[in-house]
Amino acid sequence: MNPVLVVHGGAWNIPYDLTEKHRKGCKEAVLVGWEILINGGTALDAVEAAVKSMEDNPVFDAGKGSVLNMEGEIEMDALIMDGKTLSFGAVAAVKNIKHPVSLARLVMERSKHNFIVGEGALKFARKNGVEECKTGDLIVERERKRLFEIRKEGNRIESLFQSRKDTVGAIALDSSRNIAVATSTGGIPNKFPSRVGDTPLIGCGAYADNEIGAAAATGHGEDLMKVTLAKTAIYFLKKTKNPQKAAEKVINYLERRVNGHGGIIVLDMKGRIGVAYNTPRMAYGYKTVKEEKFFV
Ligand code: ASP
C-alpha cells in the first residue's frame, strides 16, 4: 500500500497576510509525518508527529499559539484514534502541556480509560513523564491582543467567520494499510473556562475505521458536535464510496441542519482524499508518492 498523509490547519476567514504561514505550517507538518510513513512507520506515529509539528507552530490554534479563554488562560483539547482497533485516547481542558496530542496517545496506550480531562489529565501526564511547560510558554502576543479586543468589543468582533479557528488535524494511511487520525486545539477565543469543543470528542472532531476511512473536522465546535460531524462523514463515505462527495455532503448537512460552519478532510482506504468547507478559506495539504499539494 502506498502511504498518504493529509493535514488541515483550520477553516475560517484566514486573513490574506497569514495565508502563506498557514500553507507553510501545513507543509512542514506533512513532511514530518511523511518521513515516518515512507520509512515504513505507522499511521499513528505519522499523525502524532504531524500534529506535534503544528502544536509547536504558533500560527495554529493548538499548543503554542492557542487562543485564550475568558480568563486569559490556555486550555487545550486533543484526540488520537487508531482505525485498526478503533482504540482512541483523548484529553480536554488541559493546561501546561506542550503536546496535548502525545498525552492523548498515552491515555490510549497506557491508561484503562479513553478520555481524561483537566486536573486529572495533568496528574496522568506527570505520572507518565510527559513534557510540561509554563502557560507563558504557550501564549503568544497576538492572542493577548485578540482577547483584549474581544473584551473591548463585547464579543461583536467574533462574527461567524472572523472568530479564529485554527484547530489542526491529520489523517494517515500507512504501508500496512492502517489508517489513523489526530486532532489538537486551543478551542475558540474567549471561551468559558473548562469549555470543551468537538475536537477531542470521538465521532465529532475525528473518526478512523480501517473498514471505511477517516475524517478530521474543524469549525465551531458547538455546532459540529450536534451533528457528530466526523462520524457522519464516515457514514456518507460508506454510502457514496467517494471521499469528496462524503466531505461535501457532511458540510452541506452541517449548514442545513444547524447553520454550522467549518471544514473537513476525509481519506478512504484506497488513499483518495476529500476536502470541503463552507468558510471563506481552509488551510490543508497532502502528500502521496505521486504529489504534494498545499492550499489556503
Ligand atoms: N473545533 C474547535 C472548537 O470548537 C475550533 C476549531 O476548529 O478551530 O474548539
Side-chain angles (χ1 to χ4, degrees):
M1 178 86 217
N2 283 330
V4 181
L5 181 64
V6 46
V7 306
H8 78 76
W12 61 295
N13 193 10
I14 302 168
Y16 279 115
D17 57 332
L18 288 183
T19 54
E20 199 38 50
K21 282 188 181 160
H22 278 73
R23 191 179 290 114
K24 203 167 155 255
C26 287
K27 185 170 181 177
E28 280 167 14
V30 161
L31 295 183
V32 168
W34 185 256
E35 197 55 30
I36 293 171
L37 290 176
I38 207 65
N39 287 305
T42 66
L44 270 177
D45 284 343
V47 291
E48 183 186 354
V51 167
K52 274 173 82 175
S53 157
M54 294 169 108
E55 287 175 339
D56 285 336
N57 188 335
V59 165
F60 300 109
D61 173 20
K64 188 180 174 76
S66 285
V67 299
L68 306 185
N69 71 12
M70 57 164 56
E71 290 176 349
E73 300 262 0
I74 286 183
E75 291 182 328
M76 300 164 291
D77 308 332
L79 166 68
I80 191 162
M81 183 168 186
D82 178 1
K84 184 179 178 186
T85 59
L86 304 186
S87 304
F88 75 97
V91 291
V94 293
K95 292 181 184 170
N96 305 338
I97 296 292
K98 203 166 172 220
H99 293 122
V101 71
S102 299
L103 183 56
R105 183 157 181 191
L106 286 176
V107 169
M108 176 171 84
E109 291 177 346
R110 290 202 206 154
S111 82
K112 293 187 197 126
H113 311 297
N114 294 338
F115 203 155
I116 305 182
V117 307
E119 294 273 303
L122 193 57
K123 276 188 195 157
F124 178 79
R126 285 191 179 140
K127 212 175 133 200
N128 286 280
V130 170
E131 191 172 359
E132 285 178 57
C133 60
K134 297 193 191 102
T135 309
D137 298 340
L138 301 174
I139 294 180
V140 296
E141 193 47 34
R142 177 194 66 225
E143 294 309 318
R144 278 196 215 280
K145 280 195 192 134
R146 186 187 315 276
L147 188 64
F148 179 77
E149 291 300 322
I150 291 173
R151 282 177 180 158
K152 207 169 70 184
E153 298 287 324
N155 268 347
R156 266 176 300 144
I157 66 156
E158 277 193 291
S159 78
L160 205 51
F161 299 125
Q162 272 165 352
S163 170
R164 197 180 154 218
K165 296 184 191 73
D166 293 314
T167 286
V168 306
I171 310 174
L173 185 59
D174 64 29
S175 50
S176 306
R177 208 175 171 276
N178 289 316
I179 202 161
V181 66
T183 56
S184 183
T185 190
I188 53 173
N190 199 32
K191 65 185 181 180
F192 200 86
S194 301
R195 173 265 187 192
V196 176
D198 61 301
T199 307
L201 303 181
I202 184 170
C204 298
Y207 199 82
D209 182 348
N210 268 12
E211 291 188 0
I212 308 165
T218 179
H220 196 70
E222 276 65 10
D223 295 327
L224 268 57
M225 58 175 104
K226 288 178 193 160
V227 298
T228 53
L229 199 79
K231 188 65 166 61
T232 305
I234 297 299
Y235 163 77
F236 285 135
L237 180 59
K238 188 171 181 186
K239 223 169 126 183
T240 62
K241 298 187 172 41
N242 180 321
Q244 185 54 35
K245 274 197 190 138
E248 285 168 15
K249 265 177 166 304
V250 82
I251 293 298
N252 283 341
Y253 180 65
L254 171 72
E255 187 165 333
R256 180 177 66 73
R257 201 63 187 82
V258 295
N259 194 26
H261 289 82
I264 196 150
I265 53 174
V266 179
L267 183 67
D268 75 0
M269 296 310 292
K270 291 182 180 157
R272 297 178 305 170
I273 296 161
V275 180
Y277 50 97
N278 62 350
T279 51
R281 276 177 283 285
M282 178 168 177
Y284 65 97
Y286 63 85
K287 188 162 170 64
T288 68
V289 285
K290 286 202 192 112
E291 60 177 4
E292 57 175 57
K293 287 205 166 141
F294 303 94
F295 306 88
V296 180

